[in-house]
Amino acid sequence: MTGIDPLALREALDEAREAIAAAAKRSGRAPDAAELVIAGKYVGADDVPALVEAGVGVIGENRLQDLQAKRAAPGGGALTFDFIGHLQSRKVRDVVDEVRLIQSVDRESLMDAIAARSEGPVRVLLQVNIAGEDSKGGFVPGQLDAALEHAARCGIVVGGFMALPPPAADPEHSRPWFDRVRAVRDELMERWNPDHDLTDLSMGTSQDFVVAVEAGATIVRVGRGIIDRARMEP
Ligand SMILES: *Cc1c(COP(=O)(O)O)cnc(C)c1O
């Protein structure tokens, strides 16, 4: 991998943030209603100083080792980390105290591990397999009530849901899935208030984050679409 150009990255971030603010307004919300999280898998620890210089705030990591390497890199203390990948229960201990939010709680046994290994309250999102795809983990909508009950029994307050709809050539094809996640959330929110918070919807990636914000996302996770624009030629 070649280096990241901080100026090009800043420009790409500014553009994405403007697009997000405009989409939030179109959805009848405040311009800052949705937050940009940069997916970390396309950048390495060597890139951390450039990321910080460009104004990256929150990074979503899929792997514990990557998170630890970036945290330890020069400037890494200025970054906030979310966990967005499949998390093995035996790694929970190392992750819980390092992250702001675990976005990818995909099974009840992971909640047990989180409850057992965390000192204070941990903010989590439940991963929703909204299209019921065999290739994806997470809870299908019909399992969410039981999952929220399990979380409540563990003493975990769920902050909302994370979803990754099936790959689509046209971002508009993602809209019905985002709408469905939102509808499922709205219904559960009525039932589970105040035991769970459920305000956060993490949905939308490079190809469809604008549509996701229009549909109600509060967090978008964008990787390639932003990073590729800042990667310098070899
Ligand atoms: C990589 C990744 C993203 C970002 O995807 P891009 O297509 O690079 O924007 C979002 N969410 C998860 C869980 C990811 O692993």
Side-chain angles (χ1 to χ4, degrees), residues 39 41-42 62 84 162 164 205-206 221-225:
K41 64 177 175 284
Y42 306 112
N62 302 70
I84 64 171
M162 189 262 252
L164 188 69
T205 61
S206 294
R221 310 175 311 273
V222 181
R224 200 166 267 161

Side-chain angles (χ1 to χ4, degrees), residues 158 225 232 234:
V158 175
M232 291 186 287

